[in-house]
Amino acid sequence: MNYGTVTIPRTWRSQLKVALLFLVSCPVTIYLSQLFPKTVIIGPLISLFGMEIVLYLPLLWFIPAGILLTGIINIYDVRYVVDTRGIETKVGILGLNQRIVRVRYEDIRSVEVMQTLWDRFLDIGTVQVGTAATGGVEVEFSGVAAPHEIQRMIQSERDKRQRLAVLESADSFERVNG
Amino acid sequence: MAALSVDNLKAPFVNRVHLITIIGVSVAFATFRMAGGNLGTAPKRAIPRATQAAPVETEQDIARRELSAVVGRQPQTAPVVPAEEAEGGSMISKLVKRSEERTRPAEPAAPAKAGGLDEIEKNLGLR
């Protein structure tokens, strides 16, 4: 367990459409599978000790399963970390290509929050962090809960680092000049 | 045993995201079962085995049976002559009749063919 590290996950509220579609497709799948029994395919899997293991597979079940899998991948494919030194995003954890972006607090120039009307009702949003290195957004926390609190947290840490940097430069100046 | 801490066990259920994922997977599994999905066992399908009452015929057996029906021979590796002699010559009479039936229509139509048949019959010992 890493102390001083906060992992911010994407919330299921950001996948509300997917979740609702999944909940609607489940009873529809059950009804259609009973209405059309031929959609349930039966096939032997393996043979063990003289017995055959048979699988009854409803083909229509792949629709809600695929929808749920889409939501799970959207949630667990990214990881947002805020620690004592900076912020980090890992995108593509479940994929073939992974992108890791790390930004120090001293390099952060702007922290913005993007929310639609629906996002405001659900208290979710996207936090965009800009740095001096690039003109645009360097790091993006999308689909997170309480985005304004995350914005305040990042800004307070950035301000703290900047004050410390100013104090350190003033101390070193005094030591040099006596 | 430290890995089996109660905190580690209850962590997925404390975190809201993981809890909703667990509920979603449970609902998907319930849908699978209610839609007719199942994993069952069944005895292996009985493979047809040859018995004394109902022997399984191979293609070779079928070909031998047809050949014996045409020529009038038993599907055995034993020589034809001794078997026919053992049955009292009935097979020989059948063969003779067949050879006579064959030769009658063949002679006027194609003398070359009849000549060919004659040679075959001679070779087979039908004449």
Side-chain angles (χ1 to χ4, degrees), chain A residues 83-139:
Chain A
D83 57 19
T84 54
R85 298 177 71 178
I87 58 177
E88 182 183 279
T89 60
K90 275 188 190 176
V91 179
I93 295 169
L94 298 176
L96 294 172
N97 297 321
Q98 188 179 215
R99 185 166 173 259
I100 303 172
V101 180
R102 186 164 181 80
V103 172
R104 296 184 309 164
Y105 287 119
E106 293 86 354
D107 299 327
I108 294 173
R109 290 294 171 264
S110 65
V111 185
E112 297 172 7
V113 173
M114 298 267 295
Q115 278 182 308
T116 62
L117 185 64
W118 188 246
D119 289 344
R120 273 182 253 160
F121 286 132
L122 298 173
D123 193 22
I124 59 172
T126 302
V127 180
Q128 293 176 335
V129 177
T131 64
T134 59
V137 174
E138 186 89 21
V139 165

Side-chain angles (χ1 to χ4, degrees), chain B residues 7 33 40 43 52 60 62 71-72 77 79 98 101 106 109-110 117 127:
Chain B
D7 291 336
R33 288 302 304 267
Q52 287 182 353
Q60 288 177 354
I62 294 166
V71 180
T77 56
R98 281 180 189 163
E101 286 168 7
L117 273 174
R127 271 196 182 174

Side-chain angles (χ1 to χ4, degrees), chain A residues 156-171:
Chain A
S156 68
E157 284 295 319
R158 181 199 60 184
D159 294 341
K160 204 190 295 180
R161 292 291 187 287
Q162 283 178 350
R163 265 185 262 121
L164 279 172
V166 166
L167 286 171
E168 278 173 11
S169 67
D171 282 342

Side-chain angles (χ1 to χ4, degrees), chain B residues 1 4 11 17-18 54 63 80-84 86 88-89 94 102 106 114 117 124:
Chain B
M1 289 303 287
L4 293 175
V17 175
H18 297 331
V80 174
V81 174
E84 288 170 355
K94 284 182 189 172
R102 274 187 223 148
L117 273 174
L124 286 173

Side-chain angles (χ1 to χ4, degrees), chain B:
Chain B
M1 289 303 287
L4 293 175
S5 163
V6 178
D7 291 336
N8 291 333
L9 287 171
K10 69 179 182 184
F13 300 97
V14 169
N15 189 332
R16 204 180 295 178
V17 175
H18 297 331
L19 184 63
I20 294 174
T21 305
I22 290 167
I23 292 169
V25 171
S26 305
V27 170
F29 178 70
T31 306
F32 175 77
R33 288 302 304 267
M34 291 173 73
N38 196 7
L39 202 65
T41 55
K44 250 187 175 171
R45 278 175 283 181
I47 300 165
R49 289 178 186 171
T51 60
Q52 287 182 353
V56 175
E57 281 190 315
T58 62
E59 289 181 6
Q60 288 177 354
D61 293 333
I62 294 166
R64 272 188 217 149
R65 187 163 45 82
E66 287 174 357
L67 186 64
S68 66
V70 170
V71 180
R73 291 179 190 180
Q74 293 291 335
Q76 288 174 6
T77 56
V80 174
V81 174
E84 288 170 355
E85 285 178 356
E87 290 182 8
S90 60
M91 304 300 284
I92 293 171
S93 59
K94 284 182 189 172
L95 282 170
V96 168
K97 281 181 191 171
R98 281 180 189 163
S99 65
E100 285 173 1
E101 286 168 7
R102 274 187 223 148
T103 51
R104 274 172 211 162
E107 278 169 3
K113 276 189 181 178
L117 273 174
D118 288 337
E119 285 179 9
I120 292 167
E121 285 166 358
K122 280 179 192 172
N123 290 331
L124 286 173
L126 297 176
R127 271 196 182 174

Side-chain angles (χ1 to χ4, degrees), chain A residues 44-63:
Chain A
L45 275 181
I46 50 172
S47 303
L48 279 175
F49 310 113
M51 298 291 282
E52 228 171 24
I53 297 176
V54 179
L55 175 67
Y56 298 82
L57 183 64
L59 292 174
L60 293 172
W61 174 77
F62 284 105
I63 298 170

